[in-house]
Amino acid sequence: MAQHHFHLQASWPGLRNDVGTISCEQLKTKISIPKEMDGPGIGTNPDEMLLGAAATCYIITLAAMMERSQLEKEDLTMSSEAVVDVTNGVFTYEKIIHRPVIILKASASPQDIELARKLAHKAESSCMISRAVQGNVDISLEETIQLGG
């Protein structure tokens, strides 16, 4: 069994509404509480980072599955949205919605289109981050599959 270890250093020198930093091998940024939660909104925040982790894991997983299936694409883009509920001062990360747009080659068959749809859904349940938050955060998919020009 191979294990991979990822390391992050964090610093928070001030109080609640101050600014800290995080640093890992490929990421270094300021962090603070988002403006939506009455913070300074400087740098990134845990809500964006969880959304970013889920989105990047999903889109990379989908691209890899399409490659393994030899399903050719012209483009793959996505927007993702997180829904955080605030009830009585308690913040609950409720839902992530991925909206991938898969543009297949103009010559794609109906079977290719169906395979793209199937892989879009399979990637969500196969992604490591989706599996990590399963049972706590609902992840849904609103995929669009188009043919290129």
Side-chain angles (χ1 to χ4, degrees), residues 82-93:
V83 178
V84 177
D85 179 70
V86 183
T87 303
N88 298 325
V90 176
F91 297 89
T92 304
Y93 211 106

Side-chain angles (χ1 to χ4, degrees), residues 38-54:
D38 298 323
I42 296 171
T44 191
N45 58 69
D47 308 280
E48 285 182 344
M49 292 185 65
L50 181 57
L51 180 60

Side-chain angles (χ1 to χ4, degrees), residues 6-8 22-29:
F6 299 92
H7 301 275
L8 179 140
I22 57 168
S23 176
C24 34
E25 187 174 335
Q26 298 296 324
L27 174 66
K28 183 173 185 159
T29 188

Side-chain angles (χ1 to χ4, degrees), residues 68-82:
R68 280 194 300 275
S69 298
Q70 298 180 340
L71 182 61
E72 293 186 37
K73 62 177 172 51
E74 282 191 9
D75 203 4
L76 173 58
T77 60
M78 185 172 74
S79 65
S80 294
E81 175 182 358

